[in-house]
Amino acid sequence: MKKPINLKPLIKMTVLLLVFAVAITSVITLYQNTKRYDSVSTLSRFGSRGEEVRKIQQKLKNWGYYSGAVDGIYGTQTQKAVRWFQQKNGLTVDGIAGPKTLAAMGISSSSSGAYSSNDIYLLAKVIAAEARGEPYTGQVAVGAVVLNRVEHSSFPDTIAGVIYQSGAFSCVTDSNWNVAPTDTAKKAAQDAINGWDPSGGAIYYYNPAKTSNKFMLSRPVIVVIGNHRFCR
């Protein structure tokens, strides 16, 4: 009579192999997900922590997109605020603070100190919205005012920071803000970036027919271009 075959070692080995296979699959999936995020140049996203996240939260809080704590933790509330910011500014709405989103927030860095293509595009947007119908020189002057503020100690030190500063430019909350800037506005932005300043160093401007703001009306006028008065 043959001795019964003991299947327990074989079953045990099969189970161990299955566990090993599942573990390998999980590692591969994690690696692929990491590569997927790398492929879109992700910088900060859901689950991230650190100073960059804190900067993102503070910017969004200043602009009214975020009402949570500035704690450096990229949670659901931060992700929703990023998505809202992306939607309002014509960016890909994915909740990920990649290079383009960070650039629009004024958090992007440049080793050469030059303005990025995103900075120039944002400047063109504000020129198109604020100086629609103005002479070309006046459009460049509006862009120059933004850049003058970037360099001025009383204002944020990035184009995005200046443009999105609370109450600075009403156009950013206008329904036309999402309209792409014209080629003329893009050219005016580039001319301002290149150093042309028809405003004479102004940090304010206004249309006297459209404002009753006492502060603006009290500013010393440097030059008048079209319908705008450019001031110190």
Side-chain angles (χ1 to χ4, degrees):
M1 182 176 180
K2 292 183 180 180
K3 186 178 180 180
I5 299 174
N6 186 358
L7 297 176
K8 288 184 178 180
L10 181 59
I11 294 173
K12 185 176 181 180
M13 181 61 72
T14 302
V15 170
L16 288 174
L17 287 172
L18 287 172
V19 171
F20 181 73
V22 169
I24 289 296
T25 301
S26 298
V27 170
I28 291 173
T29 301
L30 179 61
Y31 173 78
Q32 289 175 335
N33 284 340
T34 301
K35 293 299 289 181
R36 176 171 61 84
Y37 282 120
D38 287 345
S39 68
V40 296
S41 302
T42 300
L43 299 183
S44 287
R45 62 180 184 273
F46 184 82
S48 296
R49 292 170 178 258
E51 185 59 29
E52 183 174 87
V53 178
R54 194 182 304 278
K55 290 179 180 178
I56 291 167
Q57 291 171 328
Q58 188 61 63
K59 293 274 189 179
L60 295 175
K61 195 178 187 74
N62 291 345
W63 300 331
Y65 292 95
Y66 178 70
S67 59
V70 180
D71 55 10
I73 301 172
Y74 204 119
T76 302
Q77 200 170 355
T78 302
Q79 185 182 54
K80 287 181 179 178
V82 169
R83 290 177 65 88
W84 186 13
F85 175 83
Q86 290 170 329
Q87 182 180 15
K88 293 291 289 183
N89 290 279
L91 300 163
T92 300
V93 182
D94 56 10
I96 296 172
K100 290 185 178 180
T101 296
L102 289 175
M105 292 179 181
I107 300 176
S108 62
S109 61
S110 173
S111 58
S112 67
Y115 292 112
S116 70
S117 59
N118 291 293
D119 290 326
I120 298 172
Y121 184 80
L122 187 58
L123 186 61
K125 284 187 71 173
V126 81
I127 290 172
E130 290 283 307
R132 187 183 298 110
E134 293 296 309
Y136 183 73
T137 301
Q139 294 185 44
V140 178
V142 166
V145 167
V146 173
L147 299 179
N148 291 340
R149 289 189 180 188
V150 171
E151 298 301 323
H152 197 283
S153 60
S154 298
F155 297 91
D157 58 3
T158 65
I159 287 178
V162 166
I163 291 174
Y164 288 113
Q165 186 176 26
S166 179
F169 296 94
S170 60
C171 66
V172 300
T173 59
D174 189 272
S175 59
N176 291 322
W177 180 242
N178 291 327
V179 177
T182 63
D183 289 340
T184 299
K186 292 177 183 178
K187 185 175 183 297
Q190 189 62 64
D191 279 340
I193 290 285
N194 290 342
W196 183 17
D197 183 3
S199 78
I203 54 174
Y204 300 103
Y205 65 88
Y206 66 92
N207 183 336
K210 295 183 178 180
T211 185
S212 58
N213 185 291
K214 292 182 178 180
F215 173 80
M216 293 301 298
L217 294 172
S218 69
R219 307 311 301 168
V221 175
I222 300 172
V223 64
V224 176
I225 306 174
N227 294 311
H228 285 143
R229 295 181 180 177
F230 293 86
C231 323
R232 290 187 174 85

